[in-house]
Structures are given as structure tokens and as C-alpha cells.
């Protein structure tokens, strides 16, 4: 029978664990076990169980508890393993049991035997190790009360003393590495305890890690000064001097049998299942296996390496070594290879007096000592391949894990593993495991998800956020989320103690040469989601080839990411850090250079993709730009850079650059319209309108009102569209701007026609046509002719409709105006179809379809397809997918085209199968425009 109090209070008999009842009863039992073999008075029991406020029936309750405990002991005796009983002694009770049956007594007995005079170091270590193994966690776990807390503290101190004695015994016995993990845990729990720090430093030194011993002394000195206002005591100062002087007194009496230098496995390690599986595969024992783990600061490289090392340690019976190379340690120079070899050789048991001078001789001895041995070596925080190469074994059987913020592509035969941020579920799990569960009770999952997203799913940032919440008991999760939402303050919020995202990124930044630092700061000014070498060259005022090389080097240093070939982006927290490092004057100049690049290149791209509007388009100053020689290349560039162009416009408003916003509105309008990007267009033109009004720029206000009114018309927001066009008409007439007036009249004509006011619409279009012809505005003439042609179609005047569309077609082809040609061809198709000339109608629709696809005009494609489907409907071609869709919708042959287009778009928006077939027919399966977005004309 065994009685346990060094953990949960319990009885073990015959291999079975028996509970001892509810908490008060368990406290009674714990008192009797702690005083095993000695009588405890009833008064003492009452005091220890209930403290200063015992109930009136305390003695009777005590008798009840004792009676129940006796039944537990009787049950335990029945299971075998000896006998024990609670007996009455005077005015009290006594637990009658052999001392060796009580874990507390066994612990004390083993410690006493280890402390006997003349006990050899090896025997001392074994006895103390056995004593410490009796501890199963917090003593008297789950119990509360004054006596419990007081006793728990006393026993914990006894355990701490035993750990220190055991570590000293291991040092004396020549196996200091065995004590290192447990000491590492304790110094975290007792950071100001100098006796513990001294033993830890000696153990670090004895295992070949003098630099870590010195780092620990520095941290202790700083902490004592900050928290207590004192300096370290004389004993630990002497030890510090001995470490600095490599005093032979500190050398272990014999080399450790097996080096075990791994730090404790990381707490709350989460996720990385794919990476763990890749690293967990049985390595090839016929060669040295080298795995280089790289990633940005705070991504969890060391945690992964240590986790894997612990999992694989059993496969390397000759030992595990760990060395921090300080490649990216703040205010510390990277460890020189020769110095690193000194640490590793000492860890292998080579006395300091036998370690040769010179890198080559040390490397040769190191490889000799590793020959024929199966060892796992973790080289953490490496700076360069040159630092690591001399530290690699020369023969088979060893596994080397290297971690670095740089890609170690220069290490021969090394596997590389680049870490990305955690997935959202992994980041949420890490945060919830690091925070007291009660703090998150009742919090919606969406709020935790938002918090880890604000941390960029970076493990360091997530852990710091958890620590911040833990350090502020009055905070709730929404308080922390609210603070992190402020982009300008986010990095400052992600600091806890000596851990800081900013500090980690500072080290990476300081490691860069001046040219790379300039590029890094310049990129921090970029407002969009990503960029290419041309954008980077504009920001940094350099050449494109130079920018390309620097981006590649920043990518190797994990300061930028490359999600697609040739396009680079920041992690959100790295972006904030880069922006913070840029001086205000440099940032303004870089942003202005970027605006000039975007303005010039967007205008050049539009000239190629939409040449017919070139004379009316704003121009930017010439800059280095990509070759956009074909419409396809130009449209691809505009699509790729659209998010950046819009972000630059928003930032230009904030930085008082209204002219850029107005110009970009004019440059991009046609592309946004053709691509159906109405929401983006509305935002951009709205910014341009506000900028123009703020600056009192009436011409800019006129242009923005016309573009915004056109967008609102296509979105079905007719009242707003009419208001914008009428305001534009008023300004145009006040300015005497003929082109502006005809655009406003044309827009109003379209709006009145779409609302069934054909007479008013025709009047506006005819007035626009007269102005266009008077001022020689060919596009205005084209728009007015198409508007009139559509009105004639609806009124059944098909010959006049065809005549107007033919005139529009000649103008469009003369200008090279693709959308105008598309509208004219579609209008002619409608006129021929309604006159029963189906072959001619089909021919015009098919030509319109080719033009629509060539210029990327999705809505024109849809309207041409609908017209073609109607022709097929009359011709009875039942296999046509558009025909099937029209039939399903119950569309009559005489229905209006615009109503049909709206019906199909609504059908497509709901994902019907027939709609999917029609979508395939007109070239893709992308989501069509929303129901409110009217077809363009």
C-alpha cells in the first residue's frame, strides 16, 4: 500500500488508485499522512482543515471524515499490499503506517541518504533522481486552505533544494547535461533566485555552452536591477568571472557520457503537422542528413526544430547537441565558426586544453569525434552558410537541423523547409491554449479569429498577444482586439516583457547592408497588396534590374514574400515595421515617385488596350515601365495592378495629392467599366469628385460627376445617376465645355430611355448629336447615334434603327473603338432579327461576340449571346444552351433585349444549371454582374 501527497492526494493498493473523498476529507487525510506515525490532536486537525472559522459541528464532522477514511483503508487492504489504519491516540488520531509507504517520507529519506558524508557523486545523483521522480506535480493538488498553502510552499522549497543538490551531484559526477532541462524550467519559474542561477550557469558551462552562461548572467543582472534595484551577490559574480576566464575549476571531472543539450520542448506547441511529418520521416543513415528550416522572425523555427529534435532523440543514442549561433540576437555578434566549434567540442567531452587553435584544426577534430557516432545536432539561429558549413559532420549517421531567417540555399545536399504563418485554426488553437480558458469563456469564435488575424497568424505575435491579455486581468478579449485594430499602434501593442515583434524585426533589418535597408524602407511606403520590380524601382529611385536583385535578396532574408513569380508582398507586421523605419521626407519622395510611375504606366497601358480614347486621357511623366506592346499585355497589367492603383488613390487623398486622384479616375474609367468593376469605379470616381470639390476644380468635378453618373446608371441607381448628370450638365454649360455637355446629355438620354421616357431620351440624344457634330467629337457622335438607334428599335422603326447603328459602326471602326463597334453590331443584329432577316442578324451577333471577347467586354458578350439565342429560338435549334435558358425563363420572341439580359443575369447569379451552360457558352464561368448592374450600351 502506498500513500501519496506529492501530487494528488491518493492511496494506491494492488495496482489500483483510490480516492480519499471530498476536499475536506482529503485535507484530513493529508494532515495524517504528513504526520504519519505521530498523533495529531483534534484541535490541530480542526485548525488545519477549517482554519480560523470552524463550524459548530467541527468535531462531529471530523469523526465522520475519519470513519470514512477508515473504510477507504479497509478497502485498500482488501486489494493487497499491506495494512494501515487510523487509530485513536489520546485527544487525537494517528495514521499507523510504515514510513516507506508514504511518498513524502520516502522523498525525505532519499534526500537525507544523499546528503550523508562520504556519499559518492554518482550515488548522490542516483538517490536524488529517485527522490525527484516521486513528485507527480503540485503537492496536495486540488486542495485549498491556509495549512495546505503553507505546507505546499514548504514542500516545494524542499523539492527545489533537492533539484539543486541533484544538479550539483550530476556536475560532480560528470553528467551535467542530464540536469539541464529541469534547471531550465526552474530558472523560468524563479528568475531572481541567485543560487539556482549559479547552478544553471555552471551546468551550461560544463555542457560546452559558456556563451549561454554569460547571457544568463547578463539577464539576471538586468532583472535584479530593474525589479529589486540590486546587483548580483558576490558568489555569482565570482562565477561570472570564472566563466569569462574559462577557469579550469569549472570543467567537469570527466566528459559527459552522452551529451543531452536540447532545451525543454516548447510549451503549447501547436500545428505544423505537415512539417512535422516531413521531418519525422526516418532519415537516410548512409549519409549526413541536413535540414535547413528558414522563415521570417517569430515564425517558430526554433520551436519546430526543438520539438522535432525531442521526437527524434531516441534514434540518436550517442547524444543530442544544441548551439545558438546568435545570427539574429539583439546586441550580440554572430558566433564565429571557430568559437562555435569550441563549444561543440567541449560538449563532446574534449577538455579545453586539448582543443586546438585555428578553424581548420578544430573542424578536423570535431569531425573525428563524430565519426561512427549517431548524434542529433541543432544549429539554431544561423546567420549564413559560411557560419554553418564548418560545423557539419563529415561521416554518416548524424542529423543536423539548422534554423535561420535566411534561406540556406548554399548548403550542399541540404533539405530546405520554409515556414509560413500558421493556418487560421492553428493560430486560434495556439492562442486558446496560451490563455486561461476562463478569460475566453463566452467569447465568440469570430473574435478570437479576428485577433489572430490581426497578429498576422505569426506565432510570436499570437503568444505575445496571449501574454498581454494574461498580464492585464481587467482586460477582456474585445479590449485587446480594439487595441490591435489600430494599424499605427499594432507593433507597439505586440510587446510583452523582453519579447517584441518589433525587436525581432529590428535584428533582421540591422543585418541588411545599406542598399537593402534603403529598399526595405522604400517598400514600406507602398500602399497596395503587392508589387513587381518596376514598382520597387520607382519607390527606391533605382533601376529595374537592381530592384529585381534587391527584392530577391529580401526574399531570401524572409523580409518579403513571393506569392506568384515576380510579384512580392510583405507580411502585415513586416509592412508596418518597414513603414515605421522610413523617414518622413524619404517616404513622401518615394510615394511621389510611385504615383508618377503608376500614372504614366496606367496611361500607357490604356493607350494600348483602349486606343480610341487616347486624346482625352491624362498623361503622366515618362518613367521606366514594362513593355505593354499588345492589348492583352496591357489589360493583364491593368488587372494585376488594379488593387495597387486604387490603394494609391486612397493614400493620395490622405497625403493631399488631389491631382493624381483626378487623373487616375480619368485614366482607368474605361477599363473599370469594360471589366464590370463598378464598385471599384464608384469608389475611385467618388474620391476624385471629393478631391475636385475640395480644390475648387470645376473641370475635375465635371469629369468625376459624368463618370460616377455612368457607373450609377450601370448599377441601376437611376435617381443618383440622373442627379450626377444634371449637375454635370449645369457645370459644363457654365464652363462652356461642349464635350462635357454632350456627355451629360448622352447619359441623360440613356437614363430616360431605360425608364421608358423615349421622347425625352430622344431629345437629349439629338441635342448631344448636334453638339458632337459641331465640335467634331467623334465618340460623342457615336454614343448619341447608338442611343437614338436603341430608341428606334424599341419604337419599331427598324430601318431608322439600322441606319443609326450603321453610322455608329463606321465611326467606331474609324476610331478603332472596340466597345462602340460592339454596340453598333449588336444593335444591327437586333434590327435584322426583328425584321426577320435571321442570317444577317446571326452574322452581326457573331461578329459582335468576337469583338466583345477581343476587348474583354463581358456584358457586351452576354447581350450578343442573348441576341444569338433569340435567332436560334426562331430557327428551332434546340441544342443551343442559350435557347434552353430562354425557354426555361419563358422568354417570348418579342421580349425586349434589355429585359432578357437582366433576366439571364439574375438567373446566372442564382447558379442555375442552365445558366452555367450559358456561362460556358460565352467564355467563362465567372460570377456575372449583379442584378442591379444594367447592361452597358
Amino acid at each position: 500500500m502506498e500513500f501519496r501527497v506529492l501530487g494528488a492526494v491518493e492511496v494506491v493498493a494492488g495496482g489500483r488508485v483510490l480516492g480519499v473523498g471530498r476536499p475536506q476529507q482529503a485535507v484530513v487525510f493529508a494532515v495524517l499522512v504528513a504526520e504519519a506515525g505521530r498523533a495529531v490532536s483534534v484541535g490541530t486537525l480542526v485548525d488545519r482543515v477549517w482554519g480560523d472559522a470552524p463550524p459548530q459541528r467541527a468535531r462531529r464532522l471530523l469523526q465522520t471524515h475519519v470513519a470514512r477514511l477508515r473504510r477507504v483503508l479497509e478497502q485498500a487492504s482488501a486489494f493487497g499490499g499491506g495494512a494501515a489504519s487510523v487509530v485513536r491516540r489520546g485527544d487525537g488520531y494517528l495514521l499507523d503506517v510504515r514510513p516507506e509507504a508514504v511518498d513524502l517520507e520516502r522523498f525525505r529519506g532519499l534526500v537525507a541518504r544523499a546528503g550523508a558524508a562520504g556519499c559518492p557523486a554518482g550515488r548522490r545523483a542516483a538517490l536524488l533522481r529517485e527522490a525527484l521522480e516521486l513528485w507527480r506535480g503540485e503537492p496536495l493538488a486540488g486542495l485549498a486552505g491556509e495549512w495546505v498553502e503553507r505546507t505546499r510552499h514548504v514542500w516545494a522549497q524542499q523539492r527545489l533544494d533537492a533539484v539543486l543538490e541533484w544538479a550539483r551531484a550530476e556536475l560532480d559526477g560528470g553528467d551535467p547535461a542530464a540536469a539541464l532541462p529541469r534547471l531550465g524550467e526552474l530558472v523560468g519559474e524563479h528568475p531572481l533566485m541567485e543560487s539556482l542561477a549559479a547552478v544553471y550557469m555552471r551546468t551550461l558551462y560544463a555542457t560546452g555552452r559558456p556563451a549561454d552562461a554569460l547571457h544568463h548572467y547578463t539577464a539576471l543582472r538586468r532583472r535584479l536591477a530593474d525589479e529589486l534595484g540590486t546587483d548580483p551577490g558576490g558568489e555569482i559574480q565570482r562565477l561570472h568571472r570564472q566563466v569569462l576566464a574559462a577557469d579550469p575549476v569549472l570543467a567537469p571531472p570527466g566528459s559527459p557520457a552522452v551529451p543531452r543539450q536540447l532545451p525543454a520542448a516548447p510549451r503549447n506547441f501547436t500545428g505544423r503537422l505537415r512539417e512535422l511529418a516531413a521531418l519525422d520521416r526516418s532519415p537516410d543513415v548512409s549519409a549526413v542528413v541536413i535540414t535547413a528550416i528558414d522563415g521570417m522572425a517569430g515564425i517558430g523555427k526554433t520551436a519546430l526544430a526543438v520539438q522535432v529534435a525531442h521526437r527524434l532523440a531516441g534514434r540518436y543514442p550517442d547524444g543530442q547537441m544544441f548551439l545558438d549561433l546568435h545570427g539574429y540576437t539583439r546586441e550580440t555578434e554572430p558566433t564565429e565558426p571557430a568559437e562555435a566549434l569550441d563549444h561543440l567540442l567541449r560538449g563532446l567531452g574534449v577538455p579545453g586544453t586539448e582543443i586546438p587553435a585555428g578553424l581548420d584544426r578544430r573542424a578536423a577534430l570535431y569531425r573525428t569525434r563524430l565519426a561512427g557516432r549517431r548524434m542529433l545536432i541543432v544549429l539554431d539561429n544561423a546567420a549564413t552558410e559560411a557560419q554553418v558549413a564548418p560545423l557539419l559532420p563529415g561521416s554518416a549517421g548524424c542529423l543536423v537541423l539548422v534554423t535561420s531567417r535566411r534561406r540556406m540555399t548554399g548548403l550542399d545536399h541540404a533539405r530546405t523547409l520554409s515556414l509560413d504563418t500558421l493556418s487560421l485554426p492553428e493560430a486560434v488553437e495556439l492562442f486558446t491554449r496560451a490563455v486561461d480558458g476562463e478569460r475566453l469563456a463566452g467569447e465568440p469564435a469570430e473574435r478570437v479569429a479576428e485577433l489572430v488575424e490581426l497578429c498576422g497568424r505569426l506565432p510570436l505575435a499570437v503568444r505575445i498577444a496571449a501574454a498581454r491579455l494574461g498580464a492585464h486581468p481587467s482586460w477582456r478579449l474585445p479590449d485587446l482586439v480594439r487595441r490591435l485594430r489600430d494599424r499605427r499602434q499594432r507593433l507597439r501593442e505586440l510587446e510583452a516583457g523582453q519579447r517584441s515583434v518589433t525587436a525581432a524585426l529590428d535584428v533582421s533589418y540591422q543585418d541588411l547592408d545599406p542598399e537593402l535597408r534603403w529598399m526595405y524602407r522604400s517598400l514600406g511606403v507602398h500602399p497596395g497588396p503587392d508589387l513587381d520590380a518596376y514598382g520597387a524601382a520607382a519607390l527606391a529611385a533605382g533601376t529595374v534590374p537592381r530592384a529585381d536583385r534587391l527584392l530577391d535578396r529580401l526574399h531570401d532574408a524572409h523580409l518579403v514574400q513571393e506569392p506568384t513569380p515576380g510579384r512580392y508582398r510583405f507580411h502585415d507586421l513586416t509592412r508596418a515595421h518597414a513603414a515605421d523605419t522610413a523617414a518622413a521626407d524619404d517616404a513622401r519622395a518615394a510615394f511621389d515617385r510611385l504615383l508618377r510611375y503608376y500614372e504614366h504606366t496606367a496611361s500607357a497601358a490604356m493607350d494600348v488596350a483602349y486606343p480610341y480614347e487616347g486624346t482625352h486621357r491624362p498623361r503622366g511623366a515618362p518613367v521606366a515601365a514594362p513593355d505593354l506592346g499588345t492589348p492583352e499585355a496591357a489589360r493583364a497589367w491593368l488587372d494585376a495592378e488594379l488593387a495597387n492603383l486604387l490603394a494609391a488613390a486612397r493614400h493620395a487623398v490622405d497625403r493631399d495629392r488631389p491631382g493624381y486622384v483626378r487623373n487616375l479616375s480619368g485614366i482607368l474609367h474605361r477599363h473599370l467599366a469594360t471589366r464590370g468593376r463598378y464598385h471599384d469605379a464608384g469608389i475611385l470616381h467618388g474620391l476624385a469628385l471629393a478631391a475636385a470639390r475640395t480644390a475648387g476644380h470645376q473641370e475635375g468635378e465635371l469629369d468625376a460627376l459624368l463618370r460616377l453618373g455612368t457607373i450609377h446608371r450601370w448599377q441601376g441607381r437611376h435617381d443618383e445617376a440622373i442627379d450626377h448628370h444634371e449637375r454635370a450638365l449645369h457645370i459644363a454649360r457654365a464652363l462652356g465645355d461642349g464635350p462635357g455637355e454632350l456627355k451629360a446629355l448622352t447619359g441623360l438620354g440613356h437614363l430616360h430611355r431605360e425608364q421608358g421616357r423615349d421622347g425625352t431620351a430622344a431629345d437629349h440624344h439629338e441635342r448631344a448629336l448636334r453638339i458632337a457634330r459641331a465640335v467634331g467629337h467623334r465618340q460623342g457622335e457615336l454614343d448619341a447615334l447608338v442611343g437614338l438607334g436603341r430608341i428606334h428599335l424599341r419604337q419599331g422603326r427598324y430601318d431608322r434603327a439600322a441606319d443609326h447603328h450603321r453610322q455608329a459602326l463606321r465611326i467606331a471602326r474609324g476610331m478603332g473603338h472596340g466597345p462602340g463597334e460592339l454596340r453598333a453590331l449588336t444593335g444591327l443584329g437586333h434590327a435584322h432579327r426583328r425584321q426577320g432577316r435571321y442570317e444577317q442578324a446571326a452574322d452581326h451577333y457573331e461578329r459582335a461576340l468576337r469583338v466583345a471577347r477581343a476587348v474583354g467586354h463581358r456584358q457586351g458578350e452576354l447581350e450578343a449571346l442573348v441576341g444569338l439565342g433569340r435567332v436560334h429560338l426562331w430557327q428551332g435549334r434546340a441544342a443551343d444552351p442559350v435557347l434552353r435558358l430562354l425557354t426555361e425563363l419563358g422568354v417570348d420572341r418579342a421580349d425586349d433585349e434589355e429585359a432578357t439580359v437582366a433576366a439571364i443575369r439574375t438567373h446566372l447569379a442564382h447558379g442555375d444549371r442552365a445558366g452555367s451552360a450559358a456561362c460556358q457558352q460565352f467564355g467563362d464561368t465567372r460570377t456575372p454582374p449583379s442584378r442591379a448592374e444594367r447592361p452597358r450600351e
Side-chain angles (χ1 to χ4, degrees), residues 562-619:
E562 189 181 16
T564 58
R567 298 200 68 86
Y568 297 87
R569 71 183 181 197
F570 276 125
H571 182 277
D572 285 349
L573 299 179
T574 312
R575 177 195 298 276
H577 181 266
D580 285 349
T581 61
D585 290 342
D586 290 341
R588 281 193 293 271
F591 186 61
D592 285 343
R593 289 191 297 271
L594 182 72
L595 294 185
R596 288 195 293 273
Y597 163 71
Y598 278 148
E599 190 173 58
H600 165 80
T601 311
S603 183
M606 291 293 293
D607 284 348
V608 177
Y610 309 94
Y612 42 84
E613 291 179 339
T615 57
H616 308 294
R617 188 174 292 123
R619 300 286 164 190

Side-chain angles (χ1 to χ4, degrees), residues 357-580:
L359 176 62
D360 291 342
R361 295 178 62 197
R362 288 183 178 183
L365 179 59
Y366 173 69
R367 291 192 294 269
T368 300
R369 287 297 181 119
L370 289 177
R373 303 176 75 173
R374 297 204 61 197
M375 298 195 70
L376 188 155
I377 303 162
V378 179
L379 301 175
D380 186 45
N381 197 12
T384 64
E385 293 96 332
Q387 183 189 33
V388 171
L391 314 182
L392 301 177
S395 55
C398 292
L399 170 64
V400 182
L401 299 176
V402 183
T403 72
S404 178
R405 296 186 190 181
R406 290 184 179 274
R407 288 179 170 82
M408 293 280 158
T409 53
L411 287 179
D412 292 337
H413 311 299
R415 298 185 300 172
T416 59
L417 180 63
S418 296
L419 296 188
D420 200 350
T421 53
L422 297 173
S423 67
L424 179 59
E426 289 173 341
V428 168
E429 182 184 357
L430 176 61
F431 182 77
T432 53
R433 291 175 63 179
V435 173
D436 182 359
E438 293 183 0
R439 300 294 300 277
L440 300 180
E443 295 289 355
E446 294 79 8
R447 187 165 290 147
V448 180
E450 180 185 1
L451 182 137
V452 299
E453 289 289 7
L454 290 171
C455 293
R457 290 184 272 119
L458 186 71
L460 173 63
V462 173
R463 290 182 182 275
I464 290 174
R468 292 270 287 154
L469 188 62
H472 293 80
S474 64
W475 286 8
R476 296 179 61 251
L477 186 61
D479 299 316
L480 182 56
V481 170
R482 194 177 308 112
R483 299 172 77 95
L484 290 174
R485 283 175 182 156
D486 186 344
R487 289 178 177 272
R488 294 166 297 181
Q489 298 296 321
R490 189 174 302 163
L491 283 177
R492 294 174 181 83
E493 291 294 336
L494 292 174
E495 296 180 1
Q498 295 188 11
R499 291 187 300 174
S500 161
V501 174
T502 298
L505 290 171
D506 279 345
V507 175
S508 293
Y509 172 73
Q510 294 299 329
D511 185 59
L512 304 176
D513 61 41
E515 189 177 33
L516 273 177
R517 290 182 191 179
W518 169 252
M519 176 58 78
Y520 179 75
R521 294 195 302 271
S522 300
L523 295 179
V525 178
H526 191 266
D530 65 358
L531 83 171
D532 61 7
Y534 288 93
L539 284 164
T543 66
V544 175
R546 173 184 169 221
D548 194 46
R549 289 193 299 273
L550 294 178
L551 284 168
D552 195 48
R553 291 176 61 192
L554 288 172
H555 178 250
D556 283 345
H558 281 286
L559 287 171
V560 297
Q561 303 164 343
E562 189 181 16
T564 58
R567 298 200 68 86
Y568 297 87
R569 71 183 181 197
F570 276 125
H571 182 277
D572 285 349
L573 299 179
T574 312
R575 177 195 298 276
H577 181 266
D580 285 349

Side-chain angles (χ1 to χ4, degrees), residues 188-209:
E189 297 171 9
H190 306 279
L192 300 177
M193 185 174 178
E194 292 189 34
S195 59
L196 173 59
V199 174
Y200 186 50
M201 287 175 61
R202 282 195 60 197
T203 305
L204 286 169
Y205 185 88
T207 53
R209 296 167 61 182

